[in-house]
Amino acid sequence: MTYRAFNLHVILIVLVLGGAFLCFNYWVNIYGVFGDVSGKSYSPLGGGTTEYVFKYLFSYNYIPRNFDGLMIGSSITDNWDTSRLNNVKVYNASLNGGRIADAKQIVDVVLKYRPNMLIIFVIHPIMTQPSSFGVLEKGIWAALGSLELFRAYYLKLQFELGFAPQEFNSFGQYDFPEIRKKWNETNVDISEGTFDEYRLLVEHARYSGARVVGLISPIAGPLFKKNREAYRRYYARMRRLFKPWEPIIDLNGPEYDFTDGTHMSRIGARQAIDAVDLQLDAWMSEGLPMSCHS
Amino acid sequence: MFAFLPVVVAGYYGLCRAKQGLLAQVWMLLASIVFYAWGRLEHLVWLVVSILLNWAIAKIIARTSDVSTRKQWLVLGIGLNICLLGTLKYAKFILTNLSYIFPVPVVLPEVWLPLGISFFTIQQVMFLVDCYEGLVPASRLFDHATFVSFFPCVSSGPISRVRQLLTQIQRTQGPSAQTITGGLVLFAIGLFKKVVLADSFAQIVDLIFNHTKTLSGIQAWLATFAYTFQIYLDFSGYSDMAIGIGLMFGLVVPMNFDAPYRSCSIIEFWQRWHITLSKFITVYLYTPMIRCFKQVSLVKACIVTVLAMLIAGLWHGPSWTFVTFGFLHGLALSVNQVWRKKIKIKMPTILSWLVTFLFVSIAFVFFRSPDMMVAFETCGALLPHGNWFGTELDKVVGRYEIAQLTVLSAVGVLASFLGPTSSQLAQGLTLSRRSALAYASLLLVSFLFMNSTKGHDFIYFAF
């Protein structure tokens, strides 16, 4: 073989194998980022960073094409089944271990493609803690070939072969097998940096024309009693991020009695989402106000 | 990179084939300017200032016959280069440290460090000294700009001397199929070393160095060794890519690494590690300093070695951690010299290798740490203490990631200790479909890693 032939071989192999790999990934479309995916169902696989990658990449195409609303939160609301909401089709973009910085990435992309979404902002101290999964810098390109994609194929294979259960539904609900941590202490102090991130995200959604809803998720009774004042201060400050016409659903009110721990049981999560449904129904029937900027 | 490199190489190849040598050099210069200005356009100003300044001083030195006047111009030129580097890179460090002695508040405008300023300043100093000593003529502005801004080397070396590179640029007939093959192979190996191996080590290193206050012994050693491999694979990977791209232009760029972790002494280590910088330290720092003494003794040689290495340490960055890194290596080199010349006891090879490797690894703790506090915390955790075996890595990183990192780290460690070097692989290449497939696979796997979340900048881009 001559040097020239060797060089051509290397270049051709890269182009042919690389091209074939890209085409295969485009065809499998595991993240639903390519083509018209209206009416199709895609479910995340795996927890932690993998869930984040799935939900982030879903925000490019799958969520804007199939949903009218988005709920952002942490593991606290990750197991809430938003398919139970009757009047609006909401995707649960909550992330196990997620913070506002992670939610921001999803909201930013969704609003780019569907600015008039209903965005439910879960208000919980864990959301304003300063950490994140980082940024999937390559964005949509990661769906064409990346380590994250390999991880997704690996999980898909495990699921298809019956080695692992499918824990997510196509609405993004992560169906925990059971309550994993009973009374998990959460730092209620607000980190100023993340508070600002939260504020800017609410403002960004509002100015993009989205309908903004706040949702104060239930705090386990013993935790709430232990830190009553701190929680009250926290919620008072967070409530001020929302305009008077933007509804805030407070599931810590006296009319609710959730007896679960930090993460809710299946029954608790069902009760919580049904309570949200009732409130949204009421507002919808009155005509949920659009953003004044829309 | 995916578009830039093939377009530039193809354009250069085409112009050389059409016997348009001058146009090919213009093309190369334009490519270098675009590459340099890509990140921040204003960086280009500093590069242009440096090129014009040094070219003008070199011209004056070449035209002047009086030795003392030539020397004055040389001193002025070196001084101006040091001023440029000092103002942009070290002003804040110096003033902050002075403010501890003279408590005056220091407010300096935030200046973005021009890409590769430490590297091209060294090349300019070498150019001036070579002109002064009559080793090279003062080149045309066009040639000098092409040499200094040559894009594969401008950001992180390898540091080339004018006579090594410029002569080739002026005389090149363009790349041949053989040099392109060598370039492709080295580029593929370098890219793989950087994005697959070094960045895998980087994940371990970043994770542990972010929690130095609660490090267990095992974590501290893991971080220390992981960084030792990360920096080698990162920087030697970059150098392989630079040499590879050079070959694609038909130019031979000097080698920068030669399996340094197989060294059995610290002197040998510096003969194999960042070879072009080591040569600069020896020829342009150590030798002139030692010449200042009328009689050279071992003690004087040791003092000069420590001084030269202190400067080399500081060259890496405006921080006491780099100064300490340089000082430790200077000290170790001096001990090595004394050992060779006075003590003369031959240690078993395995023991001398182990001592060298351990020293190099621990010195790199200072290189990696953001400040002296973190460095001392990490070094403290290396010593036996209460928390020896504790590790919480499995709580932060998933099993899948741990498995992936373990496999890639093992490949990195084996390649550093046992495998053939990149240049050996390129020279011993068998032209076959199988090897074409192997190198194409290296490229494809590297592209896959590049398109993932785990990417890190080249470590030496910060210098």
Side-chain angles (χ1 to χ4, degrees):
Chain A
M1 184 182 255
T2 62
Y3 285 107
R4 194 184 161 85
F6 179 87
N7 297 341
L8 281 174
H9 267 80
V10 173
I11 293 166
L12 277 176
I13 292 168
V14 167
L15 290 178
V16 171
L17 282 186
F21 182 62
L22 296 186
C23 291
F24 174 78
N25 296 329
Y26 185 93
W27 174 70
V28 174
N29 198 15
I30 200 166
Y31 297 115
V33 290
F34 308 115
D36 185 2
V37 293
S38 307
K40 291 186 181 169
S41 289
Y42 288 88
S43 301
L45 294 156
T49 313
T50 318
E51 180 190 6
Y52 153 71
V53 172
F54 265 100
K55 289 185 174 175
Y56 173 68
L57 290 175
F58 283 167
S59 63
Y60 279 90
N61 194 24
Y62 173 61
I63 298 174
R65 279 186 190 266
N66 290 287
F67 295 88
D68 307 311
L70 188 72
M71 181 164 84
I72 55 159
S74 63
S75 59
I76 306 290
T77 47
D78 209 3
N79 65 341
W80 295 18
D81 183 5
T82 48
S83 67
R84 294 177 71 85
L85 298 175
N86 288 313
N87 282 330
V88 58
K89 204 174 169 193
V90 173
Y91 188 81
N92 186 354
S94 301
L95 296 166
N96 187 12
R99 305 287 186 265
I100 195 66
D102 307 305
K104 180 184 184 310
Q105 294 180 52
I106 294 174
V107 173
D108 282 350
V109 177
V110 166
L111 288 178
K112 209 156 70 179
Y113 295 98
R114 189 91 187 265
N116 58 347
M117 275 245 176
L118 169 82
I119 312 270
I120 303 174
F121 287 88
V122 172
I123 302 168
H124 188 279
I126 202 82
M127 287 298 286
T128 42
Q129 297 299 309
S131 70
S132 89
F133 288 114
V135 181
L136 189 65
E137 282 171 11
K138 308 298 172 190
I140 208 164
W141 293 100
L144 281 173
S146 62
L147 291 177
E148 289 77 18
L149 183 67
F150 267 92
R151 168 87 170 137
Y153 285 158
Y154 167 71
L155 291 166
K156 181 86 177 161
L157 193 68
Q158 276 195 323
F159 168 64
E160 295 294 341
L161 295 175
F163 293 139
Q166 172 54 285
E167 295 175 305
F168 290 86
N169 70 10
S170 59
F171 280 69
Q173 179 211 9
Y174 184 9
D175 187 19
F176 301 150
E178 56 188 54
I179 303 168
R180 292 175 299 175
K181 287 175 187 169
K182 197 71 179 166
W183 313 120
N184 198 11
E185 289 277 2
T186 304
N187 183 5
V188 191
D189 299 332
I190 295 182
S191 139
E192 288 307 317
T194 47
F195 176 77
D196 274 346
E197 271 185 276
Y198 202 115
R199 178 179 59 78
L200 290 171
L201 189 59
V202 174
E203 282 173 9
H204 171 57
R206 189 180 295 135
Y207 278 91
S208 301
R211 289 171 295 169
V212 172
V213 173
L215 168 60
I216 299 178
S217 57
I219 300 290
L223 286 181
F224 192 76
K225 281 172 194 155
K226 200 172 161 189
N227 273 317
R228 192 184 300 268
E229 273 316 301
Y231 275 111
R232 281 198 179 136
R233 276 198 307 275
Y234 179 83
Y235 290 131
R237 191 167 180 204
M238 294 301 288
R239 274 173 182 274
R240 285 200 288 274
L241 297 180
F242 296 85
K243 298 289 181 194
W245 60 85
E246 289 167 346
I248 294 178
I249 303 169
D250 187 350
L251 299 185
N252 280 316
E255 65 273 38
Y256 302 109
D257 182 20
F258 298 102
T259 53
D260 279 336
T262 304
H263 295 105
M264 307 193 81
S265 64
R266 287 191 177 115
I267 297 171
R270 206 175 303 144
Q271 286 175 342
I273 201 71
D274 288 347
V276 173
D277 190 38
L278 274 176
Q279 291 262 7
L280 279 180
D281 266 355
W283 276 307
M284 290 284 186
S285 58
E286 289 169 20
L288 184 66
M290 299 290 285
S291 162
C292 61
H293 301 283
S294 60
Chain B
M1 189 188 77
F2 294 114
F4 179 79
L5 188 59
V7 167
V8 172
V9 171
Y12 185 77
Y13 184 73
L15 288 167
C16 286
R17 294 270 293 192
K19 308 234 180 280
Q20 298 290 333
L22 186 68
L23 276 181
Q25 194 179 331
V26 170
W27 176 254
M28 188 195 281
L29 179 61
L30 281 176
S32 296
I33 290 170
V34 170
F35 174 85
Y36 195 81
W38 195 265
R40 286 184 82 85
L41 191 61
E42 54 265 42
H43 285 181
L44 192 60
V45 176
W46 296 110
L47 181 67
V48 171
V49 165
S50 173
I51 288 169
L52 289 173
L53 191 80
N54 285 285
W55 169 78
I57 291 174
K59 277 278 173 208
I60 295 168
I61 290 173
R63 279 182 199 158
T64 313
S65 52
D66 179 51
V67 178
S68 69
T69 316
R70 282 164 66 89
K71 195 166 193 173
Q72 280 167 7
W73 277 106
L74 173 69
V75 172
L76 178 72
I78 293 173
L80 286 173
N81 275 298
I82 292 171
C83 277
L84 185 71
L85 185 64
T87 312
L88 293 171
K89 193 168 175 177
Y90 298 102
K92 198 171 184 178
F93 174 69
I94 294 165
L95 290 176
T96 309
N97 281 287
L98 280 177
S99 71
Y100 294 131
I101 307 164
F102 312 105
V104 181
V106 179
V107 184
L108 278 175
E110 202 62 48
V111 181
W112 287 90
L113 197 62
L115 181 70
I117 185 166
S118 305
F119 286 90
F120 68 69
T121 302
I122 280 188
Q123 292 203 150
Q124 302 278 28
V125 169
M126 287 160 76
F127 168 64
L128 289 181
V129 174
D130 287 356
C131 278
Y132 169 76
E133 296 198 336
L135 297 173
V136 289
S139 38
R140 289 184 300 168
L141 179 60
F142 173 49
D143 288 337
H144 186 61
T146 313
F147 159 70
V148 176
S149 66
F150 184 49
F151 76 90
C153 303
V154 70
S155 55
S156 304
I159 302 159
S160 306
R161 292 175 81 166
V162 176
R163 59 179 169 183
Q164 278 173 319
L165 204 60
L166 191 56
T167 333
Q168 292 184 67
I169 292 174
Q170 289 164 334
R171 291 181 191 162
T172 185
Q173 302 293 311
S176 64
Q178 186 176 356
T179 60
I180 291 176
T181 303
L184 257 181
V185 166
L186 277 175
F187 183 82
I189 295 170
L191 190 64
F192 185 84
K193 275 160 92 172
K194 160 63 189 153
V195 300
V196 180
L197 303 179
D199 287 354
S200 297
F201 282 111
Q203 287 178 57
I204 304 170
V205 173
D206 292 350
L207 193 67
I208 302 178
F209 266 93
N210 287 338
H211 301 92
T212 47
K213 284 199 190 321
T214 54
L215 279 188
S216 68
I218 206 161
Q219 282 174 322
W221 280 107
L222 184 64
T224 303
F225 289 135
Y227 186 66
T228 305
F229 289 106
Q230 182 201 343
I231 192 167
Y232 167 60
L233 292 163
D234 185 288
F235 194 25
S236 72
Y238 173 83
S239 298
D240 289 343
M241 287 166 69
I243 296 168
I245 297 173
L247 283 173
M248 289 181 209
F249 284 94
L251 307 173
V252 180
V253 174
M255 193 169 74
N256 230 2
F257 290 89
D258 182 19
Y261 293 159
R262 295 172 207 178
S263 309
C264 291
S265 72
I266 206 71
I267 291 176
E268 190 189 349
F269 172 79
W270 279 99
Q271 286 161 349
R272 290 163 168 258
W273 174 273
H274 204 170
I275 296 167
T276 54
L277 178 70
S278 301
K279 280 187 180 160
F280 171 79
I281 296 168
T282 311
V283 177
Y284 296 88
L285 282 178
Y286 179 84
T287 309
M289 280 199 276
I290 208 86
R291 272 188 198 158
C292 294
F293 298 105
K294 281 180 186 162
Q295 272 193 325
V296 182
S297 65
L298 188 56
V299 177
K300 283 174 187 168
C302 290
I303 292 169
V304 170
T305 304
V306 172
L307 262 176
M309 290 309 288
L310 270 174
I311 296 169
L314 188 62
W315 170 83
H316 282 93
S319 163
W320 288 110
T321 53
F322 292 120
V323 177
T324 312
F325 170 80
F327 175 72
L328 287 174
H329 272 280
L331 212 59
L333 284 166
S334 303
V335 170
N336 203 169
Q337 286 182 57
V338 173
W339 191 279
R340 278 189 181 181
K341 288 177 181 157
K342 294 279 177 193
I343 301 173
K344 294 179 181 171
I345 299 171
K346 181 113 175 74
M347 278 167 78
T349 309
I350 185 77
L351 189 62
S352 52
W353 168 79
L354 190 67
V355 170
T356 307
F357 183 70
L358 280 177
F359 169 79
V360 166
S361 301
I362 292 168
F364 274 136
V365 170
F366 288 87
F367 200 92
R368 168 62 176 80
S369 300
D371 53 55
M372 291 300 281
M373 187 57 77
V374 172
F376 285 134
E377 279 168 1
T378 312
C379 287
L382 292 173
L383 302 169
H385 62 294
N387 179 16
W388 185 241
F389 289 107
T391 171
E392 302 225 321
L393 275 184
D394 53 336
K395 290 182 189 164
V396 190
V397 189
R399 273 180 303 170
Y400 175 84
E401 281 82 7
I402 288 180
Q404 181 195 316
L405 291 178
T406 309
V407 170
L408 294 173
S409 304
V411 174
V413 171
L414 287 174
S416 308
F417 283 146
L418 302 171
T421 62
S422 309
S423 49
Q424 283 168 344
L425 280 171
Q427 280 161 10
L429 176 75
T430 317
L431 297 177
S432 66
R433 286 207 177 107
R434 195 181 291 176
S435 54
L437 180 65
Y439 285 105
S441 305
L442 281 189
L443 285 171
L444 285 171
V445 172
S446 304
F447 294 158
L448 187 81
F449 273 69
M450 281 171 78
N451 202 34
S452 306
T453 44
K454 312 297 183 190
H456 286 71
D457 279 345
F458 287 103
I459 293 174
Y460 268 70
F461 269 19
F463 307 141

